[in-house]
């Protein structure tokens, strides 16, 4: 969902939660039920919009899949692999007896 849509939905829920129950003569339970129903309606509408958008976008072509994989590969950053046998590197110490430092 876009940022604008989420902002509008959050503002609508804020207005429903804060302003509308305070100005109406509803009890606290009825006001909270009204806000819960409104939130459920908004969530259902968002799910339906997502389902419709997924159905109307059409199947993915192999070209789009390859492009997405290539773009992800270009964005992925890997740490440089260290070669312990490279020139100038000391060999790691072999595990052995622990050295007594204090008697």
């Amino acid at each position: 969902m876009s940022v604008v849509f989420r902002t509008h939905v959050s503002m609508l829920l804020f207005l429903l939660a804060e302003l509308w129950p305070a100005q109406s003569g509803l009890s606290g339970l009825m006001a909270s039920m009204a806000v819960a129903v409104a939130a459920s309606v908004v969530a259902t509408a968002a799910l339906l919009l997502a389902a419709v958008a997924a159905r109307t976008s059409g199947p993915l072509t192999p070209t789009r899949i390859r492009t997405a994989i290539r773009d992800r590969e270009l964005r992925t950053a890997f740490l440089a692999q260290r070669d312990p046998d490279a020139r100038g590197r000391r060999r790691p110490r072999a595990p052995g007896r622990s050295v007594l430092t204090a008697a």
Side-chain angles (χ1 to χ4, degrees):
M1 283 195 264
S2 68
V3 175
V4 175
F5 179 72
R6 282 186 279 176
T7 305
H8 283 84
V9 169
S10 63
M11 289 302 293
L12 174 69
L13 289 177
F14 174 75
L15 289 173
L16 284 173
E18 294 296 325
L19 300 177
W20 182 61
Q23 293 178 356
S24 66
L26 296 176
S27 66
L29 179 62
M30 290 299 290
S32 62
M33 289 290 287
V35 171
V37 168
S40 299
V41 168
V42 169
T44 304
L47 284 174
L48 287 175
L49 283 173
V52 168
R55 283 217 138 186
T56 58
S57 66
L60 294 177
T61 61
T63 306
R64 285 182 63 188
I65 294 172
R66 279 194 304 269
T67 303
I69 291 172
R70 185 173 43 248
D71 289 346
R72 180 177 289 173
E73 179 184 342
L74 291 174
R75 286 192 313 264
T76 305
F78 291 101
L79 295 175
Q81 299 292 319
R82 292 186 180 184
D83 183 12
D85 295 328
R87 223 175 92 209
R89 289 196 183 265
R90 294 187 326 163
R91 293 289 300 156
R93 214 164 54 100
R97 270 189 346 205
S98 61
V99 179
L100 297 175
T101 54

